[in-house]
Amino acid sequence: SYSERDLESAILREVEQFILELGGGFAFVARQKRLVIDGDDFYIDLLFYHRALRRLVAIDLKLGKFHASDKG
């Protein structure tokens, strides 16, 4: 039996390694990166930066369906 936290950690290690193996400009930025949007705290599981694209790549694992925040 695994806890949700143990399972999440194991999956994130594998996803992190996969992204880094893609090479070509990915740089690891943070794990469990805190964002504050309209006063609410959100945590992104993995955050990478792609140097050539000059874009952040966020990976967030969820158990259920994705629901975008509708605050705007």
Side-chain angles (χ1 to χ4, degrees):
S1 171
Y2 296 98
S3 71
E4 182 178 341
R5 186 170 187 84
D6 290 340
L7 182 59
E8 178 184 300
S9 291
I11 290 171
L12 288 176
R13 277 193 304 275
E14 295 299 320
V15 170
E16 179 181 337
Q17 189 60 38
F18 171 75
I19 293 292
L20 292 173
E21 286 178 8
L22 290 176
F26 280 99
F28 177 75
V29 175
R31 194 171 190 187
Q32 294 298 320
K33 174 68 177 162
R34 178 177 172 244
L35 299 177
V36 178
I37 301 172
D38 291 335
D40 293 327
D41 288 345
F42 297 91
Y43 290 86
I44 296 173
D45 291 323
L46 290 171
L47 186 62
F48 294 88
Y49 182 76
H50 194 281
R51 292 177 290 223
L53 297 176
R54 297 184 192 169
R55 299 290 187 264
L56 291 169
V57 178
I59 297 175
D60 197 40
L61 301 174
K62 297 292 178 212
L63 292 176
K65 286 186 174 185
F66 175 77
H67 295 283
S69 176
D70 192 58
K71 296 191 177 233

